[in-house]
Amino acid sequence: MTGTRRPAAPLATTDPAQGQDRVQRPVVGVVLLTMNDRPEEERASQATLLAQRGVEMRICVVGNGCTPDVVPAGALTVVLPENLGIPGGRNEGARALAELDLPPDYLFFLDNDASFPGPNVLARLVAEAGQHPEAGYVQPRLTGPDDTTTPRRWVPRLRAGDPGRPGTVTSMTEGVVLVRRTVFDQVGGWCAGLFLYHEGFDISYRIWARGFTGWYAAGLRMHHPLSSPSRHALFHRLAARNRVWVAYRNLPAPLIPVYLAVWTAATAVRAIRGGGARESWRGFREGWAGRHDQDRRPISWRTAWRLTAAGRPPVL
């Protein structure tokens, strides 16, 4: 679905450089989604975005089923007539940025309540990408507003005891990630059908299948409110459904039952502690029933080995 697009004035940039020096700076397209449900957080987040230095920014605000109320001066806007979900909305923003006269070198996907703690974070992420050309995506360490607390689910590797340790990773935290635009285009963007949850696992599998890796720049921090998605009943259903779809879309056939068995056991244990068993079972059944509607492109056994060697076998 393509929504209504509103062209920018000149497109947003906060870098005062002019002439040839300006052209040579890396261009980063920033995609922000909104449903106009947290305007104060959005204003605060955008203020830290506009304070970034050292890169050229092209900002696109996507209204997921709405016309955005909070938009930086000069930003491109996309108005979608209905909520396409997070991955679908982000795809529309990336598509709009790719159609500009000067498409971005990188895409940065930013949650509308996440913030940059300093003015050089985006430039340093781009620098990390330059130091790791094998990485299709680079992401910072995400913390709470205290700049210290990092929940386990925000660390993109299995060994999450030390969230400050950088390295190659095989999954991602989707709301604060820098992706090379050419790589994003090669893998076809986010899987819109997932709607919400686990789209990072899906796209990272496909990025690794193209021969790239992921890089966790743990020395760079970004902030996000500390909240748990499991407080919502919808989380349990969609997370279970999407686990099935991610497995069916990406894994070699012999690994699918192993992956689903591992995650079913993990979900059962979590349900004992935090509930959600009924909704999880409902989501699993929905995922299994709809698996054949997914675009199946299984990774090779070589990619499965690379993922395992990088610290996360593709059954976990």
Side-chain angles (χ1 to χ4, degrees):
M1 175 182 295
T2 300
T4 304
R5 298 181 185 178
R6 298 184 179 180
L11 283 168
T13 177
T14 59
D15 201 316
Q18 300 292 329
Q20 189 65 24
D21 288 340
R22 176 179 179 133
V23 172
Q24 292 177 347
R25 290 183 183 274
V27 179
V28 180
V30 181
V31 178
L32 288 161
L33 296 189
T34 184
M35 294 178 66
N36 291 336
D37 55 347
R38 41 186 156 195
E40 294 306 316
E41 290 89 340
E42 289 185 35
R43 291 188 183 92
S45 174
Q46 291 181 19
T48 67
L49 171 63
L50 295 174
Q52 295 304 296
R53 297 290 183 266
V55 296
E56 284 283 328
M57 289 194 297
R58 305 291 186 261
I59 300 173
C60 181
V61 181
V62 180
N64 230 349
C66 66
T67 299
D69 289 335
V70 182
V71 180
L76 181 67
T77 60
V78 174
V79 179
L80 300 176
E82 62 182 274
N83 180 2
L84 299 184
I86 288 180
R90 285 178 177 153
N91 281 344
E92 293 300 324
R95 186 175 294 115
L97 289 166
E99 293 175 356
L100 297 174
D101 291 338
L102 183 61
D105 305 298
Y106 301 91
L107 293 167
F108 188 78
F109 297 95
L110 178 65
D111 275 356
N112 63 357
D113 55 352
S115 61
F116 296 86
N120 64 348
V121 175
L122 199 51
R124 291 177 64 189
L125 281 170
V126 171
E128 290 272 349
Q131 294 169 14
H132 299 279
E134 75 286 354
Y137 62 95
V138 178
Q139 69 168 87
R141 173 183 172 183
L142 190 60
T143 76
D146 62 2
D147 199 51
T148 301
T149 305
T150 300
R152 185 181 186 89
R153 68 182 181 278
W154 287 351
V155 182
R157 60 166 177 263
L158 289 178
R159 295 182 179 178
D162 180 9
R165 178 169 59 86
T168 300
V169 290
T170 63
S171 62
M172 69 168 65
T173 304
E174 305 93 334
V176 287
V177 64
L178 182 82
V179 186
R180 299 182 194 275
R181 184 185 58 82
T182 53
V183 173
F184 184 82
D185 291 343
Q186 285 179 42
V187 302
W190 304 95
C191 175
L194 296 178
F195 194 83
L196 180 63
Y197 304 125
H198 300 326
E199 64 269 21
F201 278 107
D202 182 80
I203 198 171
S204 60
Y205 277 145
R206 287 182 285 127
I207 288 173
W208 275 78
R210 289 281 181 166
F212 296 95
T213 65
W215 181 254
Y216 179 43
L220 299 176
R221 287 177 169 83
M222 288 197 64
H223 297 167
H224 193 283
L226 291 168
S227 60
S228 174
S230 61
R231 69 190 189 277
H232 302 298
L234 184 66
F235 165 80
H236 298 286
R237 180 174 69 83
L238 293 188
R241 183 198 70 179
N242 290 354
R243 286 286 185 192
V244 179
W245 287 356
V246 168
Y248 188 80
R249 283 169 55 83
N250 295 285
L251 297 187
L255 294 185
I256 294 175
V258 181
Y259 178 98
L260 295 180
V262 168
W263 282 106
T264 298
T267 299
V269 171
R270 292 170 184 169
I272 293 173
R273 296 197 303 259
R278 179 178 297 179
E279 286 300 313
S280 294
W281 177 239
R282 178 185 169 195
F284 182 88
R285 288 185 298 173
E286 182 181 339
W288 189 253
R291 68 191 187 281
H292 292 302
D293 295 331
Q294 304 305 305
D295 181 17
R296 178 162 166 75
R297 297 182 183 180
I299 61 175
S300 67
W301 287 106
R302 179 176 181 275
T303 299
W305 167 246
R306 290 175 59 232
L307 291 165
T308 302
R312 190 174 198 128
V315 294
L316 300 175

